[in-house]
Amino acid sequence: MTTNPQALILYGDGINCEHETKFALELVGFDTKIMLTSDLFKSPKLIEKYQLLAFPGGFSFGDEIYSGKVLALQFEQLAKDYLIKFIEQKNIVLGICNGFQVLVNLGILPDLNYEPMCQLNHNSQNKFINRWVNLSVNSKLNNPLLKNLTNFELPIRHGEGNLIIKNEKASEIILQHAALFYENDVNGSFAKIAALTNKTGNVLGMMPHPEAFVTRFQHYNWLNQQIANDQAKPYGYQVFLNAYNYFFC
Amino acid sequence: MLTVKTNNLIYAAVIPDSNNQLMSANNQTPNQISFPLYFIEQNQGDLVHDKNFNTIMNNVLTNSVNDKLLLFTNENWQNFINQWKNKNFTYLIIKHFLPGVTDTKGNTVKDAFKLFNCKINIACGNIYLLPKTVTLNNSLNDLVKKLQYNLFNPLIEQIKVVDLSQDYQEDFFQFKLFTQSTNDNKRNYYEEINLNIKDNLLEDISINRLLALSLPEMKNVQNYFKNTKTQVLRNKFNLPHNPTDVELEIIAQTWSEHCKHKIFNSTITCNYLDNNKQISHSKIIHSLFKEFIESPTRQLAKIKPNLLSVFSDNAGIVKFNENYSICFKVETHNSPCALEPYGGAVTGLLGVNRDIMGTGLGAKPIFNTDILCLPNPFENEPIHPKLLPSQSIINGVRKGIEDAGNKSGIPCINGSVFFHNGYRAKPLVFCGTAGIMPLTINGLESHNKYTKINDRIVMVGGRVGADGIHGATFSSIPLAENSPKSAVQIGDPLTQKRMLDFLLKARDTGLITGITDNGAGGLSSSVGEMAKITNGATIDLNLVPLKYPGLKNWEITVSESQERMTVSTDRFEELKQLADNFNVEVTDIGYFHNLGYFEIKDQTSTVALLDLNFLHDGYSDLNLTATFNHNETVHFISEITQNDVIKPYLDKLADLNAHDIYLELLAHPNIASKESIVRQYDHEVQGKTIIKPFTGKNQDGPNDAACVLLSLDSQQGIAVANGYNPLMSYYDCYSMAVFSVDEAIRNVLCIGTNLDEIYLLDNFSFPDPLKSATNKLGENNLKCLIATATGLKDAVSAYSTPLISGKDSMKNDYHTEQIKLSDIPTLLISAIGKIDDITKCLTSSFKNPGDLVYLLSAGSLGIASSHFQSIYNLNASWLPELDLNQAYKLYKNLNVLNQNDLIQSAHDLSEGGLAVTVAECLFGENFGAVLDISLVYKQTLSNKQSYIDKLPFKNNIALCKLFGEIPGSILVSLKPKDQSKFEAILEESTYTYLGYVTAESQLIIKDDNKTVINTNTATLNHAWKTSVCNTF
């Protein structure tokens, strides 16, 4: 009998970080399954077997129309009720990069109770950016997935991570759901927001890639002795470990 | 009055919800505003009620946060125009693809509408608004010219312009958006081509049909069809005596230079002249490929058991460890990028990805590389009006590689950009990919193919259209004004990514017996090639799925429409079921047999039938001659060299100051940081890139090579780097080749690879080596080719580094009546290496203050071909040299040093020489250094006084030491405690102690007790980082 929490990782139609997301989840103790979105849509009930649903990074549907848009439409049409139930039952939904964009398009972030109020737009530089950035956690939220983290580094790899909001009224709500901030303005994002979470904290969407920093060798400067010493527990690993611990606390 | 709505088309623009957001903060008119425009047509008989359809359109096309849908009607169109006019915009432009061009966005929108049970026809476009720009003589034609290649490419896109200050045109909303389905029912099976004609008419056929076949080859074809045996077979299949157009096209694609490498396989008579210009002796080269590329590898294969498959499959395959093999391939896509840089680059990279997917039983791409040699955008050289502006090429190629790589989820981990006006004829766009395969898959060795008789032939992926017809033959001729539009293709990374996911699953499930890429030559080439395995194949064109009707049979056969693979299977039904889950189209189009021919049918009628032996071996060998002068050093001669203006730098040479040269070199576009382009490519997806393009605390110290893990839980890594030295082609093509190999190898060594485990690819990109009335320098180009191949052979043999695959591109020229341009002969060497224990990896950055700095070198000083020489136009023939044997020993020792943890960093000397190398080692941690170069290369100067005397700065030899680009040289740093062990291991190699690293960010370099450089690291970093940051 298995006691490990079960994680479902989606792939297909242009998603491309499923393998490293699987590796990261397994490293901290999850049992994992990579599933084609088309298979899930055929029998969305399958989701009930899992405790964590990961929307990995990538370019679902080639980022056409808007990034994350078409995969969100598919969920909306084919599996949204199951997804809502999954969230209500306090399971974890983790959206990374393109996965975050999907969750925003679905209206699951900032929270299901609101009208659409934000969107991840083209970076202010109008360029794709792959670089490591400094992040700080919104300590007010006590998000379970960001425990034991305050200021840390992860890579960003996106062309559309610039969070824009609908109006003044939305800004207040968005700030209440901001889980992570960039320390510097890297893409023009409103209030330098790098991640959003729902009210209950079990849905987290983030532009930076935690799965890209789960071993020290993935750091850009791991051959520097000081970095090597500091990175006994890589920050991305901590995010996944938090997810694992969520089910045992 | 303008009519908006025509036919059943809906014109839907997605515009910003609030106009305020559009304007910049200071309320000035922005330079350009654009938003998407969709041309939507509901399928007849399938019309959803207007109101519902509007809801669906809103759902699909907008995000309802900052945008809204605007459906144009006559009334609101007027308002729309007035609104922009009032905001001081002068021009409105509507852009859309030409009919038939791949519209990836349109395809996705269609998919999205299907979720709501709506079938639509769609074309995607854009609306642009431009403010009044600089004096345009108010002519719309002027504007269109200005926008050409910036806002649109006329080969694939169309624009319409409205001058908002003028009255509108009546027919403005008439667009030709979709391909017309004409005459499909009356499609002719084939056209018979009469070959019983005179020779000159045979040549005309070849030229007019863009067959790129020579007269001897046309005569071979003529003879084949005259043959009685041929005729007996043709009668049986009810085919005419003459070839059909389908057959002629298949032959042309199969025999193209692109596919058969006729120049590399030609017989070359080399005549060597004596002092009196008499032939002293001659030598026959039977095949440059066999003698200079394949043969050294065959020799090395005796001691390198890991070479699983070389020069035969789509990529070279090397056994990596007990479980996995690695395959590697680099392709060029020069001609397509010259015409349509974006599409050319996308299809170039996706194409080489498919080479990897089509190697053995199919490999998974694990990284991409891209090396670009482009015309210089920083010099105002005269550009022929038909050639694209350099900046447009840069923008298009950069974006193409970004979209193809990022959207496929394959990290682009290594590359390089080289600017030179010697690349005006065609830009060189090298796209490379490595892949990984389990050594055995379902009990079969993965590096073979297992296609057998009666296996089904399956076309996988995209559909066939008129795009990409004649790519193979087109790239086998020089670019000219009438270069065919049809050769242009747009790629679709999403379709390919789905196909990749599907194929890997199908492979692991055992559904694939053989696989190859549908690249140059389309089905004619992929099926024609695979047919060799069983000795026959038959396909039915009527089964091939088309993008749109109206294609002729020969077009379907040779179309290079992208994102397609050809697979053989004995379990088609299962394959089909799996493909459906992945949203991938697979079609059973025929079967393999052993009847000795390649047959193409259209339903029941045979339209082509070619004997396989004739098809693959019937072309003519080329016979070429090259005459070498006594003791000639072969080098490139360009027709336009004489006309290039010599810059007046020579006057200033007396005042040359090392610091100024240093900054100028660091800012040189070939040397300056390419961070701005590198960061637009995802180099970390898949999570295995452990040596990234940049290192150090500021992420700005450049690494020589990259390394990916074999798998996420592995301790083994694969290193990759490249080397090329085109400036040397102006002096000595032999050395150009040797130095290119040397640089590629040093680059991978510098991150900790072992010389014994390095494998190479060669990519020749040359100007036309066939002498003719229009190509007078052809023979010299051929001599360059021979010299380069000779250098390549000598270098790979000396280093014991086998070549495992390669490619040549031989027509990098541009001909018109007014101008003839040829690219510099360029040899790109790509290297992969095995790193057994990644904890032994090295990077270029100095690691600790106090560490000692040494220069290791097997080279000798010289300044010819350096960037220092080229920016100051120094008239110097003093060539640097390389002792290959010394280099071999040095590189072996470097590994011993590293395995014993005796070095902290390693960085090779390349563009910009020692000074630039030192600067790059400082950047990562923002350190400084105190160095003395008095002894550098001293022992190599003994017999060079005659060269030194000719220099305009003969008393300042430090400039040569600082900025000469010396092969075989590596800068390392080590901990002081390791110094004696370090020197003991290097006993037999040349090393020079230079000084030490400092925490203070100041660089001081002395020569013979004089301080020649004293500057701040930040100053150097600024020059290096800022010069090309806006170019990409």
Side-chain angles (χ1 to χ4, degrees), chain B residues 797-826:
Chain B
S797 303
Y799 289 147
S800 282
T801 46
L803 295 159
I804 58 168
S805 184
K807 196 80 198 231
D808 61 275
S809 162
M810 292 293 182
K811 307 277 170 166
N812 293 295
D813 309 273
Y814 179 82
H815 287 190
T816 67
E817 281 181 11
Q818 304 87 35
I819 190 171
K820 177 173 184 300
L821 296 172
S822 290
D823 279 359
I824 321 175
T826 305

Side-chain angles (χ1 to χ4, degrees), chain A residues 8-249:
Chain A
L8 179 66
I9 303 152
L10 297 175
Y11 94 119
D13 286 322
I15 291 172
N16 63 32
C17 295
E18 67 276 10
H19 290 293
E20 54 264 45
T21 306
K22 175 186 159 82
F23 177 75
L25 285 162
E26 286 178 357
L27 209 56
V28 298
F30 279 89
D31 288 345
T32 64
K33 163 87 180 164
I34 291 185
M35 188 184 283
L36 273 177
T37 51
S38 67
D39 284 337
L40 180 65
F41 294 142
K42 266 180 232 159
S43 33
K45 208 172 147 50
L46 287 174
I47 203 177
E48 292 169 2
K49 280 173 37 193
Y50 300 91
Q51 285 85 54
L52 183 147
L53 174 66
F55 288 84
F59 285 81
S60 60
F61 293 91
D63 263 9
E64 300 294 2
I65 312 176
Y66 289 102
S67 54
K69 173 82 184 176
V70 181
L71 186 52
L73 280 176
Q74 281 193 332
F75 254 93
E76 183 91 39
Q77 291 297 303
L78 307 170
K80 193 165 186 185
D81 294 346
Y82 291 89
L83 185 58
I84 290 170
K85 204 170 132 202
F86 186 82
I87 294 166
E88 283 169 355
Q89 290 171 343
K90 300 280 158 63
N91 295 302
I92 291 180
V93 174
L94 179 61
I96 301 166
C97 198
N98 189 236
F100 181 21
Q101 293 159 343
V102 174
L103 295 178
V104 166
N105 272 296
L106 266 171
I108 284 172
L109 290 174
D111 208 279
L112 272 168
N113 304 328
Y114 306 117
E115 287 290 296
M117 60 172 65
C118 65
Q119 181 69 21
L120 289 154
N121 231 6
H122 286 283
N123 295 345
S124 51
Q125 310 84 325
N126 223 348
K127 284 178 182 174
F128 183 96
I129 308 167
N130 181 172
R131 70 175 298 127
W132 286 58
V133 296
N134 291 317
L135 300 160
S136 58
V137 174
N138 184 353
S139 52
K140 285 181 218 153
L141 293 188
N142 285 322
N143 187 284
L145 299 183
L146 298 172
K147 256 189 192 171
N148 302 320
L149 292 165
T150 47
N151 297 292
F152 63 104
E153 266 182 308
L154 284 178
I156 55 168
R157 310 194 311 249
H158 61 247
E160 300 181 31
N162 174 6
L163 189 80
I164 54 160
I165 55 163
K166 193 166 183 170
N167 47 37
E168 197 61 32
K169 199 179 129 210
S171 73
E172 217 171 290
I173 298 170
I174 292 292
L175 281 169
Q176 287 163 8
H177 292 83
L180 264 182
F181 300 100
Y182 304 110
E183 278 187 9
N184 300 306
D185 178 8
V186 294
N187 57 15
S189 198
F190 169 71
K192 296 190 280 190
I193 290 173
L196 291 175
T197 179
N198 65 345
K199 240 176 225 154
T200 42
N202 60 327
V203 179
L204 179 67
M206 58 196 295
M207 288 316 296
H209 285 266
E211 83 288 1
F213 191 27
V214 296
T215 76
R216 73 182 169 99
F217 301 111
Q218 291 169 320
H219 192 274
Y220 56 87
N221 204 20
W222 63 272
L223 279 152
N224 179 305
Q225 199 52 47
Q226 199 186 331
I227 301 279
N229 295 340
D230 292 350
Q231 291 307 326
K233 249 193 198 164
Y235 302 120
Y237 180 91
Q238 186 65 48
V239 173
F240 292 98
L241 187 65
N242 289 337
Y244 180 85
N245 288 337
Y246 174 87
F247 295 104
F248 292 97
C249 293

Side-chain angles (χ1 to χ4, degrees), chain B residues 264-530:
Chain B
F264 248 159
N265 287 311
S266 64
T267 302
I268 306 171
T269 308
C270 299
N271 296 322
Y272 297 88
L273 305 184
D274 60 18
N275 267 335
N276 303 317
K277 303 253 167 200
Q278 301 299 311
I279 296 178
S280 75
H281 63 287
S282 295
K283 193 180 82 183
I284 306 278
I285 297 170
H286 292 286
S287 156
L288 280 170
F289 170 71
K290 284 191 183 125
E291 288 185 28
F292 294 92
I293 295 169
E294 195 181 26
S295 128
T297 294
R298 297 279 174 229
Q299 283 300 317
L300 291 170
K302 293 173 191 162
I303 51 165
K304 306 260 177 187
N306 290 342
L307 302 179
L308 294 177
S309 167
V310 290
F311 305 117
S312 53
D313 208 332
N314 289 320
I317 313 174
V318 178
K319 179 177 169 184
F320 193 83
N321 63 16
E322 289 316 306
N323 300 313
Y324 290 101
S325 61
I326 297 294
C327 52
F328 191 26
K329 176 65 172 273
V330 173
E331 279 276 6
T332 44
H333 231 215
N334 308 341
S335 305
C337 290
L339 289 177
E340 211 294 281
Y342 174 76
V346 172
T347 54
L349 193 55
L350 293 184
V352 75
N353 289 166
R354 284 197 308 280
D355 273 329
I356 294 305
M357 291 153 65
T359 296
L361 281 175
K364 179 186 176 183
I366 50 172
F367 65 74
N368 289 328
T369 66
D370 72 293
I371 289 89
L372 314 175
C373 298
L374 306 170
N376 198 336
F378 306 96
E379 290 179 26
N380 290 320
E381 293 286 341
I383 288 174
H384 191 260
K386 290 284 173 180
L387 289 170
L388 266 60
S390 180
Q391 190 64 49
S392 302
I393 298 177
I394 296 168
N395 296 346
V397 168
R398 187 209 56 71
K399 181 73 180 152
I401 291 169
E402 176 194 327
D403 280 355
N406 293 1
K407 291 187 177 185
S408 300
I410 301 166
C412 184
I413 63 171
N414 184 254
S416 148
V417 186
F418 191 90
F419 293 111
H420 195 278
N421 276 329
Y423 296 109
R424 279 175 295 197
K426 286 183 188 175
L428 303 186
V429 176
F430 299 94
C431 300
T433 305
I436 187 167
M437 277 191 289
L439 277 180
T440 57
I441 296 169
N442 298 310
L444 299 173
E445 288 181 330
S446 62
H447 62 272
N448 293 321
K449 301 192 197 290
Y450 301 87
T451 306
K452 54 190 185 306
I453 296 165
N454 289 330
D455 274 1
R456 304 306 303 180
I457 301 170
V458 183
M459 194 179 101
V460 181
R463 296 182 148 228
V464 174
D467 44 345
I469 286 173
H470 282 157
T473 48
F474 155 62
S475 69
S476 304
I477 49 177
L479 209 55
E481 287 184 51
N482 59 351
S483 292
K485 290 178 182 183
S486 64
V488 174
Q489 308 146 34
I490 298 295
D492 176 4
L494 175 60
T495 299
Q496 177 143 323
K497 171 67 175 145
R498 286 170 171 152
M499 178 165 72
L500 170 62
D501 290 344
F502 156 67
L503 286 172
L504 289 173
K505 188 84 181 169
R507 178 197 74 179
D508 293 340
T509 320
L511 302 178
I512 292 175
T513 59
I515 182 167
T516 199
D517 165 33
N518 247 311
L523 287 172
S524 82
S525 176
S526 67
V527 180
E529 275 295 314
M530 282 182 82

Side-chain angles (χ1 to χ4, degrees), chain B residues 104 117 222 251 289 354 465 617 637 686 710 745 825 836 987:
Chain B
T104 52
N117 298 317
Q222 193 183 45
I251 293 168
F289 170 71
R354 284 197 308 280
D617 303 318
I637 301 165
Q686 300 192 11
L710 187 66
I745 286 178
D836 252 321
E987 201 179 17

Side-chain angles (χ1 to χ4, degrees), chain B residues 89-150:
Chain B
F89 286 89
T90 316
Y91 301 105
L92 181 145
I93 294 159
I94 289 185
K95 174 173 94 169
H96 63 86
F97 285 120
L98 292 169
V101 173
T102 305
D103 180 355
T104 52
K105 186 181 184 182
N107 292 340
T108 299
V109 174
K110 251 189 235 180
D111 281 353
F113 271 88
K114 270 186 215 153
L115 285 169
F116 300 89
N117 298 317
C118 288
K119 281 190 185 155
I120 57 161
N121 228 347
I122 185 160
C124 296
N126 283 87
I127 295 182
Y128 295 90
L129 287 142
L130 306 183
K132 185 128 193 131
T133 39
V134 274
T135 49
L136 267 175
N137 306 334
N138 278 336
S139 146
L140 285 190
N141 281 343
D142 278 3
L143 181 64
V144 171
K145 227 178 245 172
K146 214 173 133 145
L147 298 174
Q148 187 159 307
Y149 303 123
N150 290 315

